[in-house]
């Protein structure tokens, strides 16, 4: 399971944009703008009513992209994402039911952690790539640097308050494998269907990993 997840992370080239899709008609242009900017791994948050339909639509029309679901907080949603064909599942946290379901189903899962005890729970369940959320509020890059001490084998995908300016601080850490966030979709640009702006922000983000080499 980790290998499949690792392939998706490799495809993401350090950036997983978070898509908050309010209207289904915007799903494809939003995703196309990301792709035009060089990003091909997307996380559609289940915070909006059309999110599952959006995942189905993107899966059908953009087979070359990896389409995951974010903000998955219970097993019902976990199951719905699997039925919708989602490529991976991200949660802000985890619970026993979700851990059991992830272990039973062939879909990569990134559980969320914020504290050392959370990390221990996730590691105990066999997960080695974890979401650190909410990253900025829980100590940011400095906290992740400290977690590298006790948890040497674990890599993190931080999310929450990350943007083009602070992303390099995270990506410079050896235990950060990618960052995720919604900064690529400013609400006003999305409201006026300004996909050119989104493409530019995606392009800027897609270059972040190059600055780490
Ligand atoms: C998430 O669900 O991963 C975060 O809420 C994203 O945080 P952001 O909107 O601050 O990027």
């Amino acid at each position: 399971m980790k290998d499949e997840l690792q392939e998706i992370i490799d495809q993401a080239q350090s950036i997983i944009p978070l898509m908050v899709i309010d209207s289904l008609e915007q799903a494809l242009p939003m995703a196309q703008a990301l792709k035009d900017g060089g990003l091909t791994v997307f996380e559609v948050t289940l915070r909006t009513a059309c999110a599952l339909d959006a995942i189905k639509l993107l899966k059908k029309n953009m087979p070359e992209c990896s389409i995951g679901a974010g903000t998955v907080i219970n097993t019902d949603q976990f199951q719905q994402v699997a039925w919708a064909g989602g490529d991976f599942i991200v949660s802000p946290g985890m619970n026993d039911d979700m851990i059991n379901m992830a272990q039973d189903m062939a879909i990569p899962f990134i559980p969320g952690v914020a504290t050392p005890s959370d990390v221990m729970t996730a590691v105990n369940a066999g997960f080695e790539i974890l979401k650190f959320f909410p990253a900025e509020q829980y100590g940011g890059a400095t906290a992740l640097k400290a977690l590298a001490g006790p948890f040497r084998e674990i890599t993190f995908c931080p999310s929450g308050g990350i943007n083009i300016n602070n992303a390099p601080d995270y990506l410079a850490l050896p235990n950060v494998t990618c960052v995720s966030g919604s900064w690529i979709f400013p609400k006003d640009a999305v409201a006026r269907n300004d996909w050119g702006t989104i493409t530019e922000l995606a392009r800027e983000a897609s270059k972040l990993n190059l600055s780490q080499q």
Side-chain angles (χ1 to χ4, degrees):
M1 192 54 60
K2 189 196 164 193
D3 292 346
E4 203 182 327
L5 181 56
Q6 191 58 57
E7 274 176 30
I8 291 169
I9 302 247
D10 291 347
Q11 183 188 353
Q13 296 182 81
S14 308
I15 311 294
I16 300 183
L18 197 95
M19 300 177 77
V20 183
I21 305 175
D22 287 313
S23 83
L24 195 56
E25 306 85 77
Q26 288 186 314
L28 279 173
M30 282 172 86
Q32 187 62 46
L34 291 176
K35 194 179 161 208
D36 291 346
L39 300 177
T40 57
V41 176
F42 320 138
E43 179 185 326
V44 178
T45 170
L46 293 202
R47 286 175 215 177
T48 63
C50 68
L52 286 167
D53 287 334
I55 289 171
K56 285 184 208 158
L57 191 68
L58 297 182
K59 280 293 295 176
K60 189 169 166 211
N61 288 279
M62 303 182 84
E64 68 285 15
C65 297
S66 291
I67 319 293
T71 324
V72 175
I73 56 173
N74 57 51
T75 49
D76 285 350
Q77 291 178 329
F78 204 106
Q79 187 72 69
Q80 285 163 351
V81 172
W83 284 330
D87 291 307
F88 63 98
I89 290 178
V90 185
S91 177
M94 81 199 108
N95 59 39
D96 288 345
D97 292 341
M98 289 176 73
I99 287 172
N100 291 338
M101 189 168 271
Q103 286 164 341
D104 287 347
M105 293 175 74
I107 179 163
F109 176 50
I110 307 180
V113 300
T115 67
S117 294
D118 295 343
V119 177
M120 286 159 67
T121 302
V123 171
N124 199 40
F127 298 97
E128 295 177 337
I129 299 176
L130 311 176
K131 169 169 172 155
F132 177 56
F133 176 81
E136 280 294 290
Q137 292 81 351
Y138 270 80
T142 317
L144 276 177
K145 195 172 179 185
L147 287 173
F151 304 112
R152 283 160 199 274
E153 309 298 325
I154 305 306
T155 53
F156 296 90
C157 180
S159 180
I162 296 184
N163 55 48
I164 195 73
N165 299 314
N166 59 15
D169 296 340
Y170 289 95
L171 291 170
L173 298 173
N175 62 342
V176 169
T177 187
C178 63
V179 297
S180 121
S182 62
W183 83 89
I184 294 163
F185 289 106
K187 280 193 185 342
D188 56 339
V190 175
R192 54 174 196 271
N193 293 337
D194 178 1
W195 310 125
T197 292
I198 307 300
T199 294
E200 278 318 305
L201 291 169
R203 187 166 290 130
E204 184 184 39
S206 72
K207 291 184 184 142
L208 276 171
N209 68 326
L210 298 177
S211 61
Q212 306 306 315
Q213 291 167 3

